[in-house]
Each structure stands twice: as C-alpha cells, then as structure tokens.
Coordinates of all heavy atoms in Angstrom, one line a residue:
E1168 N 90.6 90.5 88.3 CA 90.3 90.3 89.7 C 90.6 91.7 90.5 O 91.6 92.4 90.1 CB 91.2 89.2 90.2 CG 91.1 89.0 91.7 CD 92.0 87.9 92.2 OE1 92.6 87.2 91.4 OE2 92.1 87.8 93.4
E1169 N 89.8 92.0 91.5 CA 90.0 93.4 92.1 C 90.5 92.9 93.5 O 90.1 92.0 94.1 CB 88.6 94.0 92.3 CG 88.2 94.6 91.0 CD 86.9 95.6 91.3 OE1 86.9 96.2 92.4 OE2 86.1 95.8 90.4
F1170 N 91.4 93.8 94.1 CA 91.9 93.8 95.4 C 91.4 94.8 96.1 O 91.6 96.0 95.7 CB 93.4 93.6 95.1 CG 93.9 92.6 94.3 CD1 94.3 92.7 92.9 CD2 94.0 91.2 94.8 CE1 94.7 91.8 92.1 CE2 94.4 90.3 94.0 CZ 94.9 90.5 92.6
E1171 N 91.0 94.6 97.5 CA 90.6 95.6 98.3 C 91.9 96.3 98.9 O 91.9 97.6 99.1 CB 89.9 95.0 99.4 CG 88.5 94.7 99.0 CD 87.7 94.3 100.2 OE1 87.8 94.9 101.3 OE2 86.8 93.4 99.9
E1172 N 93.0 95.6 99.0 CA 94.2 96.3 99.6 C 95.4 95.8 98.8 O 95.5 94.6 98.5 CB 94.3 95.9 101.0 CG 95.4 96.5 101.7 CD 95.4 96.2 103.2 OE1 94.4 96.1 103.8 OE2 96.5 96.0 103.8
W1173 N 96.3 96.8 98.5 CA 97.6 96.3 97.8 C 98.5 97.5 98.1 O 98.3 98.4 98.5 CB 97.2 96.2 96.3 CG 96.5 97.3 95.7 CD1 95.2 97.4 95.6 CD2 97.1 98.5 95.0 NE1 94.8 98.6 94.8 CE2 96.0 99.3 94.5 CE3 98.5 98.9 94.9 CZ2 96.2 100.4 93.9 CZ3 98.6 100.2 94.1 CH2 97.5 100.9 93.6
T1174 N 99.8 97.0 97.9 CA 101.0 98.0 98.3 C 101.9 97.9 97.2 O 102.4 96.8 96.7 CB 101.7 97.5 99.6 OG1 100.6 97.5 100.6 CG2 102.8 98.4 100.0
V1175 N 102.4 99.0 96.6 CA 103.5 99.1 95.8 C 104.8 99.0 96.5 O 105.2 99.9 97.5 CB 103.5 100.5 95.0 CG1 104.8 100.7 94.1 CG2 102.2 100.7 94.1
T1176 N 105.6 98.0 96.3 CA 106.8 97.7 97.0 C 108.0 98.1 96.2 O 109.0 98.3 96.9 CB 106.9 96.2 97.3 OG1 107.0 95.4 96.2 CG2 105.7 95.6 98.2
L1177 N 107.9 98.4 95.0 CA 109.1 98.9 94.2 C 108.5 99.6 93.0 O 107.6 99.1 92.4 CB 110.0 97.7 93.7 CG 111.1 98.1 92.9 CD1 112.2 98.9 93.7 CD2 111.7 96.7 92.5
Y1178 N 109.2 100.7 92.6 CA 108.7 101.3 91.3 C 110.0 101.9 90.6 O 111.0 102.3 91.3 CB 107.8 102.4 91.5 CG 108.2 103.5 92.3 CD1 108.6 104.7 91.7 CD2 107.8 103.6 93.7 CE1 109.0 105.8 92.5 CE2 108.2 104.7 94.4 CZ 108.8 105.8 93.8 OH 109.2 106.9 94.6
K1179 N 109.9 102.0 89.4 CA 111.0 102.6 88.5 C 110.3 103.4 87.5 O 109.2 103.3 87.2 CB 111.9 101.5 87.8 CG 112.6 100.6 88.8 CD 113.4 99.6 88.0 CE 114.1 98.7 89.0 NZ 114.9 97.7 88.4
G1180 N 111.1 104.3 86.8 CA 110.5 105.2 85.8 C 110.4 106.6 86.3 O 110.5 106.9 87.6
D1181 N 109.9 107.5 85.4 CA 109.8 108.8 85.9 C 108.4 109.1 86.4 O 108.2 110.3 87.1 CB 110.1 109.8 84.6 CG 109.2 109.5 83.5 OD1 108.1 108.9 83.6 OD2 109.5 110.0 82.4
L1182 N 107.4 108.2 86.4 CA 106.1 108.4 86.9 C 105.4 109.4 86.3 O 104.3 109.8 86.7 CB 106.2 108.5 88.5 CG 106.9 107.4 89.3 CD1 106.7 107.8 90.7 CD2 106.3 106.1 88.9
I1183 N 105.8 110.0 85.2 CA 105.1 111.0 84.3 C 104.6 110.4 83.1 O 103.6 110.5 82.7 CB 106.0 112.2 84.2 CG1 106.2 112.9 85.6 CG2 105.4 113.2 83.2 CD1 107.2 114.0 85.5
R1184 N 105.7 109.8 82.3 CA 105.4 109.1 81.1 C 105.5 107.6 81.2 O 105.0 106.9 80.3 CB 106.2 109.7 80.0 CG 105.8 111.1 79.6 CD 106.6 111.6 78.4 NE 107.8 110.8 78.1 CZ 108.3 110.7 76.8 NH1 107.7 111.3 75.9 NH2 109.5 110.0 76.7
K1185 N 106.3 107.1 82.1 CA 106.6 105.7 82.2 C 106.7 105.3 83.7 O 107.3 106.1 84.6 CB 107.9 105.4 81.5 CG 108.2 103.8 81.5 CD 109.4 103.5 80.7 CE 109.8 102.0 80.6 NZ 111.1 101.8 79.9
A1186 N 106.1 104.1 84.0 CA 106.2 103.6 85.5 C 106.3 102.1 85.3 O 105.5 101.5 84.7 CB 105.1 104.1 86.3
L1187 N 107.1 101.5 86.0 CA 107.2 100.0 86.3 C 106.9 100.0 87.8 O 107.6 100.5 88.6 CB 108.6 99.5 85.9 CG 108.9 99.7 84.5 CD1 110.5 99.5 84.3 CD2 108.2 98.6 83.6
L1188 N 105.9 99.0 88.1 CA 105.5 98.9 89.5 C 105.6 97.4 89.9 O 105.1 96.6 89.2 CB 104.1 99.5 89.7 CG 103.9 100.8 89.3 CD1 102.4 101.2 89.3 CD2 104.6 101.9 90.2
K1189 N 106.0 97.1 91.1 CA 105.8 95.8 91.8 C 104.8 95.9 92.9 O 105.0 96.8 93.7 CB 107.1 95.2 92.3 CG 107.0 93.8 92.9 CD 108.3 93.4 93.6 CE 109.2 92.8 92.5 NZ 110.2 92.0 93.2
V1190 N 103.7 95.3 92.7 CA 102.5 95.5 93.5 C 102.3 94.2 94.4 O 102.1 93.1 93.8 CB 101.4 95.9 92.8 CG1 100.2 96.1 93.7 CG2 101.5 97.1 92.0
R1191 N 102.3 94.2 95.7 CA 101.9 93.0 96.5 C 100.4 93.1 96.8 O 99.9 94.1 97.1 CB 102.6 93.1 97.8 CG 102.4 91.9 98.7 CD 103.1 91.8 100.0 NE 102.6 92.9 100.9 CZ 103.3 93.8 101.5 NH1 104.6 93.8 101.4 NH2 102.7 94.7 102.2
V1192 N 99.8 91.9 96.2 CA 98.3 91.8 96.3 C 97.9 91.0 97.5 O 96.7 91.0 97.8 CB 97.8 91.4 95.0 CG1 98.0 92.5 93.9 CG2 98.3 90.2 94.5
N1193 N 98.7 90.1 97.9 CA 98.5 89.4 99.3 C 99.8 89.0 99.8 O 100.9 89.4 99.4 CB 97.5 88.3 98.9 CG 98.1 87.2 98.0 OD1 99.3 86.9 98.1 ND2 97.3 86.7 97.1
E1194 N 99.9 88.1 100.8 CA 101.1 87.8 101.5 C 102.1 87.2 100.6 O 103.3 87.6 100.8 CB 100.8 86.8 102.7 CG 100.1 87.3 103.7 CD 100.8 88.3 104.6 OE1 102.0 88.2 104.7 OE2 100.1 89.3 104.9
E1195 N 101.9 86.5 99.6 CA 102.8 85.8 98.8 C 102.7 86.2 97.2 O 103.6 85.8 96.5 CB 102.7 84.3 98.9 CG 103.0 83.9 100.2 CD 102.8 82.4 100.5 OE1 102.7 81.6 99.4 OE2 102.8 81.9 101.6
E1196 N 101.8 86.9 96.8 CA 101.5 87.1 95.4 C 101.7 88.6 95.1 O 101.3 89.5 95.8 CB 100.1 86.7 95.1 CG 99.8 86.7 93.5 CD 98.4 86.1 93.2 OE1 97.7 85.7 94.1 OE2 98.1 86.2 92.0
Y1197 N 102.4 88.7 93.8 CA 102.6 90.1 93.4 C 102.2 90.2 91.9 O 102.0 89.3 91.2 CB 104.1 90.4 93.4 CG 104.7 90.6 94.8 CD1 104.8 89.5 95.7 CD2 105.2 91.8 95.2 CE1 105.4 89.7 96.9 CE2 105.6 92.0 96.5 CZ 105.8 91.0 97.2 OH 106.4 91.2 98.5
V1198 N 101.9 91.3 91.5 CA 101.6 91.7 90.0 C 102.6 92.9 89.6 O 102.7 93.7 90.4 CB 100.1 92.2 89.9 CG1 99.9 92.6 88.4 CG2 99.2 91.1 90.4
H1199 N 103.2 92.6 88.4 CA 103.9 93.8 87.9 C 103.3 94.5 86.9 O 102.6 93.9 86.1 CB 105.4 93.1 87.4 CG 106.1 92.4 88.3 ND1 107.4 92.0 87.9 CD2 106.0 92.3 89.6 CE1 108.0 91.5 89.0 NE2 107.1 91.5 90.0
L1200 N 103.4 95.8 87.0 CA 102.7 96.6 86.0 C 103.7 97.6 85.2 O 104.7 98.0 85.7 CB 101.8 97.6 86.7 CG 100.6 97.0 87.6 CD1 99.9 98.2 88.4 CD2 99.7 96.3 86.8
F1201 N 103.4 97.6 84.0 CA 104.2 98.6 83.0 C 103.2 99.5 82.5 O 102.2 99.3 81.7 CB 104.8 97.6 81.9 CG 105.6 98.4 81.0 CD1 107.0 98.2 81.0 CD2 105.2 99.2 80.0 CE1 107.8 98.9 80.1 CE2 105.9 99.9 79.0 CZ 107.3 99.8 79.2
L1202 N 103.4 100.8 82.8 CA 102.5 101.9 82.4 C 103.2 102.9 81.6 O 104.4 103.4 82.0 CB 101.9 102.6 83.7 CG 101.2 101.7 84.8 CD1 101.0 102.5 86.1 CD2 100.0 101.0 84.3
D1203 N 102.7 103.4 80.5 CA 103.3 104.5 79.8 C 102.2 105.2 79.0 O 101.1 104.7 78.9 CB 104.4 103.9 78.8 CG 103.8 103.0 77.7 OD1 102.7 102.5 77.8 OD2 104.5 102.9 76.7
R1204 N 102.7 106.4 78.7 CA 101.7 107.2 77.9 C 102.5 108.1 77.0 O 103.7 108.5 77.4 CB 100.8 108.1 78.9 CG 101.6 108.8 79.9 CD 100.5 109.5 80.8 NE 101.1 110.2 82.0 CZ 100.4 110.8 82.9 NH1 99.2 110.8 83.0 NH2 101.0 111.4 84.0
P1205 N 102.0 108.6 76.0 CA 102.9 109.4 74.9 C 103.2 110.7 75.5 O 104.4 111.1 75.3 CB 101.9 109.6 73.8 CG 100.6 109.3 74.3 CD 100.7 108.4 75.5
I1206 N 102.3 111.5 76.3 CA 102.7 112.7 76.9 C 101.9 112.9 78.3 O 100.8 112.2 78.4 CB 102.3 113.8 75.9 CG1 100.9 113.9 75.5 CG2 103.2 114.0 74.8 CD1 100.4 115.2 74.8
R1207 N 102.4 113.7 79.1 CA 101.8 114.0 80.4 C 100.4 114.5 80.2 O 100.1 115.2 79.2 CB 102.6 114.9 81.0 CG 102.2 115.3 82.5 CD 103.0 116.4 83.1 NE 102.7 116.5 84.4 CZ 103.6 116.9 85.4 NH1 104.6 117.6 85.0 NH2 103.4 116.8 86.7
G1208 N 99.5 113.9 81.0 CA 98.1 114.3 80.9 C 97.2 113.3 80.1 O 96.1 113.3 80.2
E1209 N 97.9 112.4 79.2 CA 97.2 111.6 78.4 C 96.9 110.3 79.2 O 97.4 110.1 80.3 CB 97.9 111.1 77.2 CG 98.2 112.2 76.2 CD 96.9 112.5 75.3 OE1 96.2 111.5 75.0 OE2 96.7 113.6 75.2
A1210 N 96.0 109.4 78.8 CA 95.6 108.2 79.5 C 96.8 107.2 79.5 O 97.5 107.2 78.4 CB 94.4 107.5 78.9
W1211 N 96.9 106.6 80.5 CA 98.0 105.5 80.7 C 97.6 104.3 79.8 O 96.5 103.8 79.8 CB 98.2 105.1 82.2 CG 98.8 106.1 83.1 CD1 98.2 106.9 83.9 CD2 100.2 106.3 83.2 NE1 99.1 107.7 84.6 CE2 100.3 107.3 84.2 CE3 101.2 105.8 82.6 CZ2 101.5 107.8 84.6 CZ3 102.5 106.3 83.1 CH2 102.7 107.3 84.0
L1212 N 98.6 103.7 79.1 CA 98.4 102.4 78.6 C 99.0 101.4 79.6 O 100.2 101.5 80.0 CB 99.2 102.3 77.3 CG 99.2 100.9 76.6 CD1 97.6 100.5 76.2 CD2 99.9 100.9 75.2
C1213 N 98.1 100.4 80.0 CA 98.5 99.6 81.2 C 98.7 98.2 80.7 O 97.9 97.5 79.9 CB 97.5 99.7 82.2 SG 96.9 101.3 82.7
R1214 N 99.9 97.7 81.2 CA 100.2 96.3 80.8 C 100.6 95.6 82.1 O 100.9 96.3 83.2 CB 101.4 96.2 79.9 CG 101.3 96.7 78.5 CD 102.6 96.7 77.8 NE 102.3 97.3 76.4 CZ 102.4 98.5 76.1 NH1 102.7 99.4 77.0 NH2 102.2 98.9 74.8
Y1215 N 100.4 94.3 82.3 CA 100.6 93.7 83.6 C 101.2 92.3 83.4 O 101.1 91.6 82.3 CB 99.2 93.5 84.3 CG 98.3 92.5 83.7 CD1 98.2 91.3 84.3 CD2 97.6 92.8 82.6 CE1 97.3 90.2 83.8 CE2 96.8 91.9 82.1 CZ 96.6 90.6 82.6 OH 95.8 89.6 82.1
A1216 N 101.9 91.7 84.4 CA 102.5 90.4 84.5 C 102.0 89.9 85.7 O 102.5 90.3 86.8 CB 104.0 90.5 84.4
P1217 N 101.0 88.9 85.8 CA 100.4 88.3 87.1 C 101.3 87.2 87.6 O 102.3 86.8 86.9 CB 99.1 87.7 86.4 CG 99.4 87.4 85.1 CD 100.4 88.5 84.5
W1218 N 101.0 86.7 88.8 CA 101.6 85.6 89.4 C 103.0 85.7 89.6 O 103.8 84.8 89.3 CB 101.1 84.3 88.6 CG 99.7 84.1 88.4 CD1 98.8 83.9 89.3 CD2 99.1 84.1 87.1 NE1 97.6 84.0 88.7 CE2 97.7 84.0 87.3 CE3 99.5 84.3 85.8 CZ2 96.8 84.0 86.4 CZ3 98.6 84.3 84.8 CH2 97.2 84.1 85.1
K1219 N 103.5 86.9 90.0 CA 104.9 87.1 90.5 C 105.1 86.9 91.9 O 104.1 86.9 92.7 CB 105.3 88.5 90.1 CG 105.2 88.8 88.5 CD 106.1 88.0 87.8 CE 106.1 88.3 86.3 NZ 107.2 87.6 85.6
S1220 N 106.3 86.7 92.3 CA 106.7 86.5 93.7 C 107.6 87.8 94.1 O 108.0 88.6 93.2 CB 107.5 85.3 94.0 OG 108.7 85.3 93.4
A1221 N 108.0 87.9 95.3 CA 108.8 88.9 95.9 C 110.2 88.9 95.2 O 110.8 90.0 95.1 CB 108.9 88.9 97.4
E1222 N 110.6 87.8 94.8 CA 112.0 87.6 94.1 C 112.1 88.0 92.7 O 113.1 88.2 92.2 CB 112.5 86.2 94.4 CG 112.7 85.7 95.9 CD 111.5 85.3 96.6 OE1 110.5 85.0 96.0 OE2 111.4 85.6 97.9
D1223 N 110.8 88.0 92.1 CA 110.9 88.2 90.6 C 111.3 89.7 90.3 O 110.7 90.7 91.0 CB 109.5 88.0 90.0 CG 109.1 86.5 90.0 OD1 110.0 85.7 89.7 OD2 107.9 86.2 90.3
A1224 N 112.2 89.8 89.5 CA 112.6 91.2 89.0 C 111.6 91.9 88.1 O 111.0 91.2 87.3 CB 114.0 91.1 88.3
L1225 N 111.5 93.2 88.2 CA 110.8 94.1 87.2 C 111.3 94.0 85.9 O 112.6 94.3 85.7 CB 110.7 95.4 87.7 CG 109.7 95.7 88.8 CD1 109.8 97.3 89.2 CD2 108.2 95.5 88.2
E1226 N 110.6 93.6 84.9 CA 111.1 93.5 83.5 C 111.0 95.0 82.9 O 110.0 95.6 83.1 CB 110.4 92.5 82.6 CG 110.5 91.1 83.0 CD 111.9 90.4 82.8 OE1 112.6 91.1 82.0 OE2 112.3 89.5 83.6
Q1227 N 112.0 95.2 82.1 CA 112.1 96.6 81.6 C 111.4 96.7 80.3 O 111.1 97.9 79.8 CB 113.6 97.1 81.5 CG 114.3 97.1 82.8 CD 114.0 98.4 83.6 OE1 113.7 99.4 83.1 NE2 114.1 98.2 84.9
T1228 N 111.2 95.7 79.5 CA 110.5 95.7 78.2 C 109.1 95.5 78.2 O 108.7 94.5 78.9 CB 111.3 94.8 77.2 OG1 111.2 93.5 77.8 CG2 112.7 95.0 77.2
E1229 N 108.3 96.1 77.5 CA 106.8 95.9 77.5 C 106.5 94.7 76.9 O 105.3 94.1 77.2 CB 106.2 97.2 76.8 CG 106.6 97.2 75.3 CD 105.9 98.5 74.6 OE1 106.4 99.5 75.0 OE2 105.2 98.3 73.7
D1230 N 107.3 93.9 76.1 CA 106.9 92.7 75.5 C 106.8 91.6 76.7 O 106.1 90.5 76.3 CB 108.1 92.2 74.6 CG 108.1 93.1 73.4 OD1 107.1 93.8 73.1 OD2 109.2 93.1 72.7
E1231 N 107.3 91.8 77.9 CA 107.2 90.8 78.9 C 105.8 91.0 79.8 O 105.5 90.3 80.6 CB 108.2 91.0 79.9 CG 109.6 90.9 79.4 CD 109.9 89.4 78.8 OE1 109.4 88.6 79.5 OE2 110.5 89.3 77.8
Y1232 N 104.9 91.8 79.2 CA 103.7 92.2 79.9 C 102.5 92.0 78.9 O 102.6 92.2 77.7 CB 103.7 93.7 80.4 CG 104.8 93.9 81.5 CD1 106.1 94.2 81.0 CD2 104.4 93.9 82.9 CE1 107.0 94.5 82.0 CE2 105.4 94.2 83.7 CZ 106.7 94.5 83.3 OH 107.7 94.7 84.3
E1233 N 101.4 91.6 79.6 CA 100.1 91.6 78.7 C 99.4 92.9 78.8 O 99.3 93.6 79.9 CB 99.2 90.4 79.3 CG 99.9 89.2 79.3 CD 99.0 88.0 79.9 OE1 97.9 88.1 79.8 OE2 99.7 87.2 80.8
I1234 N 98.7 93.2 77.8 CA 97.8 94.5 77.9 C 96.6 94.3 78.8 O 96.0 93.2 78.6 CB 97.5 95.0 76.4 CG1 98.7 95.4 75.6 CG2 96.4 96.1 76.4 CD1 98.4 95.8 74.2
L1235 N 96.4 95.2 79.5 CA 95.2 95.1 80.4 C 93.9 95.3 79.5 O 93.9 96.4 78.9 CB 95.2 96.3 81.5 CG 94.2 96.2 82.6 CD1 94.4 95.0 83.5 CD2 94.3 97.4 83.5
P1236 N 93.0 94.3 79.7 CA 91.8 94.5 78.7 C 91.0 95.7 78.9 O 90.5 96.3 77.9 CB 91.0 93.2 79.1 CG 91.9 92.3 79.8 CD 93.0 93.2 80.5
E1237 N 90.8 96.3 80.1 CA 90.1 97.4 80.4 C 90.9 98.6 80.5 O 91.1 99.1 81.6 CB 89.2 97.1 81.7 CG 88.3 95.9 81.5 CD 87.5 95.6 82.7 OE1 87.4 96.6 83.5 OE2 87.1 94.5 83.0
R1238 N 91.4 99.3 79.5 CA 92.3 100.2 79.5 C 91.7 101.5 80.3 O 92.5 102.1 81.1 CB 92.6 100.8 78.1 CG 93.6 101.9 78.1 CD 94.0 102.3 76.7 NE 94.8 103.5 76.7 CZ 95.2 104.0 75.6 NH1 95.0 103.6 74.4 NH2 96.0 105.1 75.8
T1239 N 90.5 101.9 80.1 CA 89.9 103.0 80.7 C 89.9 102.9 82.2 O 90.1 103.8 83.0 CB 88.5 103.3 80.2 OG1 87.7 102.2 80.4 CG2 88.5 103.7 78.8
Q1240 N 89.7 101.6 82.7 CA 89.6 101.4 84.1 C 91.0 101.7 84.7 O 91.1 102.4 85.8 CB 89.1 100.0 84.4 CG 89.0 99.7 85.9 CD 88.5 98.3 86.2 OE1 88.4 97.5 85.4 NE2 88.2 98.1 87.5
C1241 N 92.1 101.3 84.1 CA 93.4 101.5 84.6 C 93.7 103.0 84.6 O 94.1 103.5 85.7 CB 94.4 100.7 83.8 SG 96.1 101.0 84.2
S1242 N 93.3 103.6 83.4 CA 93.7 105.0 83.3 C 93.0 105.9 84.3 O 93.5 106.8 84.9 CB 93.4 105.5 81.9 OG 94.2 104.9 81.0
D1243 N 91.7 105.5 84.7 CA 90.9 106.3 85.6 C 91.4 106.2 87.0 O 91.3 107.1 87.8 CB 89.5 105.9 85.5 CG 88.8 106.3 84.2 OD1 89.4 107.1 83.4 OD2 87.8 105.8 83.9
K1244 N 92.0 105.0 87.3 CA 92.3 104.7 88.8 C 93.9 105.1 89.1 O 94.1 105.1 90.2 CB 92.0 103.3 89.0 CG 90.4 103.1 89.1 CD 90.1 101.8 89.5 CE 88.6 101.6 89.6 NZ 88.1 100.3 90.0
I1245 N 94.7 105.2 87.9 CA 96.1 105.3 88.4 C 96.4 106.7 88.6 O 96.2 107.6 87.7 CB 97.0 104.7 87.1 CG1 96.8 103.3 87.0 CG2 98.3 105.0 87.3 CD1 97.1 102.4 88.1
N1246 N 96.8 107.1 89.7 CA 97.4 108.5 90.0 C 98.7 108.3 90.7 O 98.8 107.9 91.9 CB 96.3 109.2 90.9 CG 96.8 110.6 91.2 OD1 97.9 111.0 90.7 ND2 96.1 111.2 92.1
L1247 N 99.9 108.5 90.0 CA 101.1 108.4 90.5 C 101.8 109.7 91.0 O 102.9 109.7 91.4 CB 102.0 107.7 89.4 CG 101.6 106.3 88.9 CD1 102.6 106.0 87.6 CD2 101.6 105.3 89.9
S1248 N 101.0 110.7 91.1 CA 101.4 112.0 91.5 C 101.8 112.0 92.9 O 102.7 112.9 93.2 CB 100.5 113.1 91.2 OG 99.4 112.9 91.9
T1249 N 101.3 111.2 93.7 CA 101.7 111.1 95.2 C 102.7 110.0 95.4 O 103.1 110.0 96.6 CB 100.4 110.8 96.0 OG1 99.9 109.5 95.7 CG2 99.4 111.9 95.8
C1250 N 103.2 109.4 94.5 CA 104.2 108.2 94.6 C 105.6 108.9 94.6 O 106.3 108.9 93.5 CB 104.1 107.2 93.5 SG 103.2 105.9 94.0
T1251 N 106.1 109.3 95.8 CA 107.5 109.8 95.8 C 108.4 108.8 96.6 O 109.6 108.8 96.4 CB 107.5 111.1 96.6 OG1 106.9 111.0 97.7 CG2 106.8 112.2 95.7
T1252 N 107.8 108.0 97.4 CA 108.5 106.9 98.2 C 107.7 105.6 98.2 O 106.4 105.8 98.0 CB 108.9 107.2 99.7 OG1 107.7 107.4 100.3 CG2 109.7 108.6 99.6
N1253 N 108.1 104.6 98.6 CA 107.3 103.3 98.7 C 106.1 103.5 99.8 O 105.1 103.0 99.6 CB 108.1 102.2 99.2 CG 109.0 101.7 98.0 OD1 108.8 102.0 96.8 ND2 109.9 100.8 98.3
L1254 N 106.5 104.4 100.8 CA 105.5 104.6 101.8 C 104.4 105.4 101.3 O 103.2 105.3 101.8 CB 106.0 105.3 103.0 CG 107.2 104.5 103.8 CD1 107.7 105.4 104.8 CD2 106.7 103.3 104.3
D1255 N 104.6 106.3 100.4 CA 103.4 107.0 99.7 C 102.5 106.2 98.8 O 101.5 106.8 98.4 CB 104.0 108.1 98.9 CG 104.8 109.1 99.9 OD1 104.4 109.2 101.1 OD2 105.6 109.9 99.3
C1256 N 102.9 105.0 98.4 CA 102.2 104.3 97.2 C 101.5 103.2 97.9 O 101.2 102.1 97.2 CB 103.2 103.7 96.4 SG 104.2 104.9 95.5
N1257 N 100.8 103.3 99.2 CA 100.0 102.3 99.7 C 98.5 102.8 99.5 O 98.2 103.9 99.7 CB 100.2 102.2 101.2 CG 101.5 101.7 101.5 OD1 102.1 100.8 100.7 ND2 102.1 102.0 102.6
L1258 N 97.6 101.8 99.0 CA 96.3 102.2 98.8 C 95.5 101.0 99.6 O 95.9 99.8 99.6 CB 95.9 102.2 97.3 CG 96.4 103.2 96.6 CD1 95.9 103.2 95.2 CD2 96.0 104.6 97.1
M1259 N 94.3 101.3 100.1 CA 93.4 100.3 100.7 C 92.0 100.5 100.0 O 91.6 101.5 99.7 CB 93.4 100.5 102.2 CG 94.7 100.1 102.8 SD 94.4 100.3 104.6 CE 96.2 100.2 105.0

C-alpha cells in the first residue's frame, strides 16, 4: 500500500547503517520500519511491522519485522540524511 502523506514520529539508530522508525500513516495507524545496510552507501535492507498504534514500542530485533518484498523500491526512496529531528522527517 502506498501513502501520499506520512510522518516519522520516532526514530532510533545511527541513520547511517541502522534505523528504526515509527511512521504514522493516518490518524490511528502506524508502521514500524527496521532498516539496515552493511556499509554506508550500500542499499538499505528494509523490514516492516504493519498495523501498529501510537502506544506500540519500536522492537529492537529484526526478527520482529517482515522483509519488504520490493527491496529496491525501499532503497531508492529512503533518504535519512536529512533526518536530524522528528520535524525534519516529514514527507508528503
């Protein structure tokens, strides 16, 4: 499913090799993302956990996430270089 507007409400990790993101996709629904890559500049391996709420904590282990079927699509669209605060991580 594609979302026209979404907001990163929480993130953890160094945002260079590893990132955990809590993403609000509508008023009540969130998706958690687990992104990692072996070295800077490589493509991100994207995992997700759908149907989350604002109260759900970000899981730290990749086993709690499903692999995103279209890896290249995630890698092409994820740019965390501008994510320094929650306010910087809004996309429309």
Side-chain angles (χ1 to χ4, degrees):
E1168 183 176 349
E1169 285 191 31
F1170 303 100
E1171 289 187 30
E1172 185 175 324
W1173 49 272
T1174 303
V1175 174
T1176 60
L1177 177 68
Y1178 66 89
K1179 297 179 180 180
D1181 60 16
L1182 304 181
I1183 295 170
R1184 291 189 338 155
K1185 184 176 179 181
L1187 299 159
L1188 307 167
K1189 180 183 276 196
V1190 181
R1191 185 177 66 232
V1192 294
N1193 63 40
E1194 291 293 322
E1195 298 178 10
E1196 189 176 358
Y1197 289 73
V1198 174
H1199 293 183
L1200 300 175
F1201 184 105
L1202 311 170
D1203 66 341
R1204 57 187 174 181
I1206 58 172
R1207 183 181 198 160
E1209 290 290 317
W1211 289 99
L1212 178 57
C1213 306
R1214 296 175 180 84
Y1215 71 104
W1218 307 295
K1219 298 294 184 175
S1220 70
E1222 295 79 28
D1223 290 323
L1225 281 171
E1226 296 292 336
Q1227 301 281 333
T1228 59
E1229 63 186 64
D1230 294 339
E1231 300 296 323
Y1232 297 84
E1233 301 174 40
I1234 294 179
L1235 189 66
E1237 299 175 27
R1238 178 180 176 179
T1239 57
Q1240 183 176 7
C1241 174
S1242 296
D1243 293 343
K1244 294 184 179 182
I1245 297 294
N1246 179 3
L1247 300 176
S1248 63
T1249 61
C1250 259
T1251 56
T1252 68
N1253 286 350
L1254 298 176
D1255 294 336
C1256 296
N1257 294 332
L1258 291 182
M1259 293 183 194

